[in-house]
Amino acid sequence: MDFSLSEEQQMLVDSTRIFVREKLANRTESFNSYDPALLNEIANLGYCGVTTPVEYNGAGFDSLCLALVVEEIAKVDPAMAARIAETAGPVQHALITFGSEQQKLITENLAAGTKWGTVALWEPEMNQLTEKMCTIAKKSGDSWVLNGTKSHVINAPNADVYLVVAAIDNSDSDDSWIAFLIDKNQSGLHFNQVTATAGTQPLSISHLEFENCKLPKNSVIGTVELGKQIVKSIIADTHMLLAANALGVAEGALELAEEYASVRVQFGKAIVSFEAIRGMLADMAAHIEAVRLLVYRAAEKRGDGKLSAMAKLVACNTASLCVHKSNQIHGGYGYMRDYAIEFLYRDQLFSELFWNNPNQLRSEIADAVTQNS
Amino acid sequence: MELTDKQTQFQQEMREFCEQEIEPNAAQIDRDGEFPADVINKVADRGLLGMVAPKEWGGLGLDTVSYAIAVEEISRACGSTGITVAAHNSLGVMPMVLFANDKQKNEYLALLCSGKDGLCSFGLTEPDAGSDAGATKTTGVRDGDDWIINGGKCFITNAGVCKALVITAKTQKIQGSRGISSFIIDRDTPGFVIGKKENKMGLRGSDTRELSFENVRLPATKMLGNEGEGFKQFMIILDGGRISIGAMALGLAQGAYDSCLKYIRENRKSLINSQAVQFQLADMHVKIQCARHLILHASRLEDANQTFSVESAMAKLYASEIGTEVARTAMQIVGPDAYSSELPLERIYRDVRLCEVGEGTSEIQRLVIARDIIKCDLS
Ligand SMILES: Cc1cc2nc3c(=O)[nH]c(=O)nc-3n(C[C@H](O)[C@H](O)[C@H](O)COP(=O)(O)OP(=O)(O)OC[C@H]3O[C@@H](n4cnc5c(N)ncnc54)[C@H](O)[C@@H]3O)c2cc1C
């Protein structure tokens, strides 16, 4: 078993690290949206097309590369990491895997970062797949009519295209789903931004409302029969990338803790010399190391629902542990908004609370392991 | 042990008052980040700014158990209001009650208990003296009948809204924590500058500021207690203060738990059938009850004039750590809705973080407790 990164992977990590240091660190209080120039730079660096095939304008790297980029960026800016992950991960992956030739062409724009994409799957009353989906797609002649609400869509107001999943009207089973690619300017589509979130403000998390949205036939992704498979692919990809995000947050928190503990002096010595502080740093480092292997494995096995769920469950737990310990090591200073750990402490909640929560992940993993036995 | 009838009645009154007068403002207080002057006026009208002072000095003369109940209930409704009231009572008024002479008490106590001319703060922490509060660099130098104070403090609660503060300064050039003395300093003393309000993760309505002293001249009558007693005094003050920070954390935890239950009842009834959720609720409930018992125990010891410093350290340590855990679990159960300020959960999560740091970090509490176990000096 070889745990080392390939040359290509390591180069990507190194260059991303430099970019992150230079352009994304030093966040300020008015952190609500991104400078278009910064987004342009991200686009030009190709971060939105890490795994997109070369013929569609992407870099054609493997899926671990995407996880590595998300991890590096999340060390200082989990919101940016999530924004990139959403468009570069599940949206493009679904289009490339299941989409029509015309839809695949749209990934060219997404990969180039000239357009952004996001997923609209969950609903106010549907937070896991076992619950009933209430956004309904009704066939009307050759086209479809969409009605319903999707909740907590990340980056919604800034996205140009949405991957929307709906239940097919009047079908026999609760899980006959259909996926659409919908343009931002679609008539009948309304946004409703969630009021003040605890962290990751630039993600502008919003609810989407579809009111008699008339969708042409060619906006369906794949075929009606593929709906369930598309949903599974989206969920696995998103969980894997949220796990990479959490891993990055954990590492960012550890880096800040190491730095701070070595300069902060109390009782005549740097606090890093206290065993209690050293123990916290060690716990963080050990958990991160374990999580990293799991996350990378899930990334390599892109699409593996069980591994992705495991990675998200464990990575979010570790991220929570790390931001907590790191904030504690910062003492009163960690409570002040001029310290990077203060941001991370709040941003960490994003990967933990969004998509499946720990109980749901456990249930998914339990299903998978009991089926195997 | 049960609460007395009087304590139970007080608890019910506090619950009603907080639900009616404080809780409806909590989200706004957090959003605006402004000191909640209107709410504090209502708190003052009920005498709650003088909970820990005896009646003869204008206070309510409550026992510690009732005081802890009050801080818990206020914090359950609003953390910013909770810390404001807790810091004023435990750190501002209490030093006056315990260490002021009658003349000082006459001048300050009734006024501070009424809150009419502002609150009272406690200035101990400095940029380089946090956990190691004995490393105070602020100095007091004798000049005839006066003391000249130079230096600075940081993270001082209620500093921008206070009438007076109790501060510590090094008055004798002795190594270590001895040689520290306490002074009362009025808000408008020349040379004393109160800095700008800190921008914090949580408790955003609470007024936290930096202080600086530049040749501040204080008459000898402003010294609190005797020279060189400062360290001993603030250790005693922090023992009591820890009960109130514990009670604050407990209130926040209870608030998170209640809000989570309410959310399940109103929005996601199906969750109550999940064994995973049921067990999480059970664990949260157990932790909250343990914290409450520890706080009650420490409070009763104080009321019985027995030593309680280890018990208050245990109560504060436990309540603040489970406060964070409970808030986090509550958010996990609720899911993405918990990320928005439409529910109080994310605010509570930010507010409660302070409890593991203020008035002695969790590590310092563990030192206090371990020291007692081993009965020798560990530092
Ligand atoms: C909102 C807020 C309100 C406050 N209000 C007041 C107030 O009204 N009055 C006041 O005087 N102060 C106040 N404080 C200050 C507070 O009491 C200090 O922040 C606290 O005591 C910790 O000090 P520090 O921030 O300097 O952290 P540090 O002491 O620098 O601690 C950093 C880390 O090192 C650890 N550490 C330190 N020493 C040891 C050791 N020996 N062994 C193991 N670990 C150790 C700590 O536990 C912590 O994890 C307030 C702080 C905040 C954030």
Side-chain angles (χ1 to χ4, degrees):
Chain A
M1 231 186 246
D2 183 6
F3 290 120
S4 53
L5 297 181
S6 72
E7 212 171 302
E8 182 180 84
Q9 289 162 343
Q10 190 59 52
M11 264 169 57
L12 183 64
V13 168
D14 294 342
S15 63
T16 307
R17 208 166 274 176
I18 293 169
F19 171 72
V20 165
R21 285 270 147 76
E22 285 175 1
K23 300 287 159 118
L24 294 178
N26 308 318
R27 280 157 57 176
T28 54
E29 174 59 18
S30 55
F31 183 65
N32 286 318
S33 60
Y34 290 113
D35 183 355
L38 177 66
L39 293 171
N40 236 335
E41 211 166 332
I42 299 247
N44 291 336
L45 286 167
Y47 287 132
C48 301
V50 176
T51 59
T52 320
V54 179
E55 68 252 49
Y56 297 110
N57 242 346
F61 292 159
D62 60 22
S63 46
L64 176 53
C65 283
L66 178 56
L68 291 168
V69 164
V70 170
E71 174 191 352
E72 283 307 319
I73 294 177
K75 286 181 184 176
V76 302
D77 190 348
M80 180 63 92
R83 180 179 172 134
I84 293 172
E86 195 76 357
T87 199
V91 175
Q92 288 185 49
H93 192 53
L95 292 180
I96 294 288
T97 317
F98 305 101
S100 63
E101 206 42 50
Q102 192 197 357
Q103 287 166 339
K104 283 184 189 161
L105 286 178
I106 292 176
T107 59
E108 287 189 6
N109 297 322
L110 295 172
T114 49
K115 281 190 173 178
W116 293 80
T118 190
V119 175
L121 170 61
W122 307 111
E123 300 181 357
E125 307 282 324
M126 185 224 186
N127 294 277
Q128 51 190 336
L129 291 185
T130 50
E131 287 166 332
K132 196 175 155 67
M133 194 179 287
C134 297
T135 298
I136 305 290
K138 193 172 182 164
K139 188 118 199 200
S140 145
D142 233 9
S143 49
W144 293 85
V145 177
L146 194 63
N147 276 292
T149 306
K150 291 289 168 183
S151 58
H152 300 107
V153 179
I154 77 166
N155 204 30
N158 310 309
D160 304 282
V161 291
Y162 304 92
L163 199 173
V164 181
V165 180
I168 298 167
D169 188 42
N170 263 334
S171 61
D172 318 329
S173 68
D174 270 355
D175 58 357
S176 47
W177 300 314
I178 177 169
F180 297 97
L181 188 69
I182 298 181
D183 194 79
K184 174 186 213 135
N185 298 319
Q186 169 69 43
S187 72
L189 164 60
H190 313 286
F191 299 97
N192 187 356
Q193 192 164 332
V194 170
T195 46
T197 50
T200 60
Q201 276 75 17
L203 283 180
S204 314
I205 289 156
S206 306
H207 304 315
L208 298 189
E209 246 171 73
F210 302 95
E211 204 189 321
N212 289 322
C213 280
K214 214 164 152 43
L215 305 170
K217 186 169 78 178
N218 64 6
S219 56
V220 176
I221 302 172
T223 58
V224 172
E225 291 73 36
L226 284 173
K228 217 163 142 182
Q229 218 177 316
I230 296 175
V231 167
K232 294 220 155 124
S233 145
I234 294 171
I235 291 178
D237 236 26
T238 308
H239 282 170
M240 180 270 284
L241 291 169
L242 284 171
N245 196 315
L247 168 63
V249 169
E251 290 169 306
L254 173 59
E255 279 174 26
L256 292 170
E258 288 163 351
E259 261 169 54
Y260 189 77
S262 60
V263 296
R264 176 65 175 168
V265 174
Q266 285 291 278
F267 300 98
K269 38 187 159 183
I271 58 170
V272 72
S273 58
F274 294 118
E275 215 176 335
I277 304 287
R278 297 167 65 74
M280 292 188 210
L281 295 172
D283 276 347
M284 288 189 241
H287 278 102
I288 286 170
E289 208 52 40
V291 163
R292 189 185 288 123
L293 294 179
L294 177 54
V295 171
Y296 288 4
R297 199 162 130 71
E300 274 183 349
K301 298 207 150 203
R302 189 175 200 172
D304 185 321
K306 179 179 77 170
L307 271 180
S308 303
M310 287 175 166
K312 182 178 191 280
L313 178 67
V314 179
C316 291
N317 211 12
T318 291
S320 167
L321 171 114
C322 291
V323 293
H324 182 249
K325 298 278 180 233
S326 180
N327 194 276
Q328 184 67 15
I329 286 174
H330 281 74
Y333 295 89
Y335 208 59
M336 304 300 149
R337 295 221 158 164
D338 359 274
Y339 281 76
I341 189 57
E342 193 278 330
F343 285 105
L344 276 190
Y345 189 76
R346 290 181 286 115
D347 286 352
Q348 179 271 325
L349 292 169
F350 169 73
S351 52
E352 181 159 351
L353 297 178
F354 282 74
W355 289 66
N356 289 359
N357 72 21
N359 288 340
Q360 294 160 354
L361 294 169
R362 286 186 192 106
S363 143
E364 192 180 336
I365 298 164
D367 281 347
V369 295
T370 48
Q371 262 159 34
N372 282 349
S373 63
Chain B
M1 209 161 54
E2 300 281 307
L3 295 180
T4 64
D5 289 349
K6 215 170 140 196
Q7 287 162 344
T8 306
Q9 196 194 335
F10 179 70
Q11 198 251 334
Q12 281 160 2
E13 284 165 17
M14 282 305 301
R15 169 70 54 109
E16 210 171 295
F17 167 68
C18 294
E19 282 186 343
Q20 279 166 16
E21 306 288 348
I22 300 181
E23 210 207 300
N25 302 299
Q28 177 96 25
I29 291 169
D30 177 65
R31 199 174 321 125
D32 297 350
E34 300 282 341
F35 181 76
D38 291 347
V39 168
I40 294 300
N41 281 337
K42 286 180 188 156
V43 167
D45 288 345
R46 297 200 137 225
L48 300 172
L49 296 180
M51 282 187 273
V52 298
K55 286 195 176 130
E56 65 263 40
W57 296 108
L60 289 184
L62 292 185
D63 55 19
T64 310
V65 169
S66 303
Y67 171 53
I69 288 171
V71 173
E72 177 191 338
E73 289 301 328
I74 295 171
S75 306
R76 178 179 169 273
C78 170
S80 291
T81 308
I83 190 178
T84 301
V85 175
H88 167 78
N89 272 283
S90 283
L91 304 181
V93 172
M94 202 60 183
M96 303 270 188
V97 172
L98 291 178
F99 311 122
N101 57 38
D102 281 2
K103 192 158 168 286
Q104 292 166 331
K105 281 184 179 160
N106 264 323
E107 187 178 349
Y108 288 101
L109 254 183
L111 186 62
L112 293 175
C113 290
S114 77
K116 277 201 186 77
D117 198 16
L119 304 179
C120 190
S121 305
F122 182 58
L124 173 68
T125 304
E126 298 181 4
D128 291 323
S131 296
D132 185 11
T136 293
K137 285 186 183 145
T138 298
T139 55
V141 176
R142 192 92 203 201
D143 182 39
D145 270 351
D146 298 338
W147 289 93
I148 312 290
I149 312 289
N150 276 291
K153 300 283 172 183
C154 63
F155 303 151
I156 307 307
T157 304
N158 293 334
V161 291
C162 72
K163 146 81 184 140
L165 305 87
V166 174
I167 59 147
T168 54
K170 194 103 175 149
T171 53
Q172 295 164 332
K173 289 208 175 72
I174 330 175
Q175 276 278 308
S177 53
R178 286 175 307 149
I180 296 173
S181 306
S182 305
F183 296 92
I184 304 168
I185 176 165
D186 291 299
R187 169 182 58 204
D188 44 14
T189 311
F192 172 38
V193 178
I194 301 174
K196 77 165 190 5
K197 194 173 162 186
E198 294 284 1
N199 188 3
K200 304 192 296 294
M201 173 192 293
L203 305 174
R204 292 179 61 76
S206 161
D207 189 286
T208 317
R209 292 177 195 255
E210 220 173 61
L211 313 175
S212 82
F213 314 101
E214 212 187 309
N215 293 319
V216 175
R217 183 171 286 274
L218 296 179
T221 53
K222 296 288 179 187
M223 185 176 273
L224 192 62
N226 297 319
E227 200 190 341
E229 285 181 351
F231 187 78
K232 205 175 79 194
Q233 289 170 345
F234 74 66
M235 294 308 262
I236 293 170
I237 290 305
L238 291 179
D239 281 346
R242 279 163 191 161
I243 292 181
S244 73
I245 297 291
M248 179 184 157
L250 171 62
L252 288 165
Q254 184 71 55
Y257 174 87
D258 291 345
S259 157
C260 175
L261 265 186
K262 181 162 178 263
Y263 178 88
I264 293 174
R265 280 204 189 103
E266 291 175 4
N267 301 291
R268 309 274 322 278
K269 281 208 181 66
S270 63
L271 282 181
I272 209 70
N273 299 321
S274 151
Q275 195 176 54
V277 171
Q278 289 168 7
F279 283 21
Q280 281 171 321
L281 288 171
D283 283 347
M284 289 156 89
H285 187 62
V286 171
K287 286 173 184 165
I288 289 172
Q289 288 299 358
C290 285
R292 186 170 286 122
H293 283 297
L294 282 171
I295 289 162
L296 273 174
H297 179 56
S299 303
R300 283 179 177 136
L301 287 175
E302 184 175 5
D303 286 335
N305 283 322
Q306 294 178 25
T307 55
F308 66 99
S309 64
V310 179
E311 285 76 9
S312 69
M314 296 197 314
K316 193 254 183 196
L317 171 66
Y318 187 76
S320 63
E321 293 197 344
I322 67 107
T324 296
E325 279 176 49
V326 167
R328 180 170 169 240
T329 309
M331 292 183 87
Q332 281 185 357
I333 293 173
V334 167
D337 278 341
Y339 202 47
S340 134
S341 64
E342 269 164 51
L343 291 179
L345 289 169
E346 64 88 28
R347 182 184 78 235
I348 294 172
Y349 186 71
R350 288 183 286 110
D351 284 353
V352 77
R353 177 83 273 270
L354 177 273
C355 299
E356 296 175 75
V357 170
E359 298 193 34
T361 63
S362 296
E363 292 67 47
I364 296 304
Q365 309 308 321
R366 291 193 167 91
L367 269 177
V368 169
I369 298 161
R371 209 170 269 171
D372 182 70
I373 294 170
I374 301 167
K375 289 273 191 277
C376 72
D377 200 342
L378 289 172
S379 60

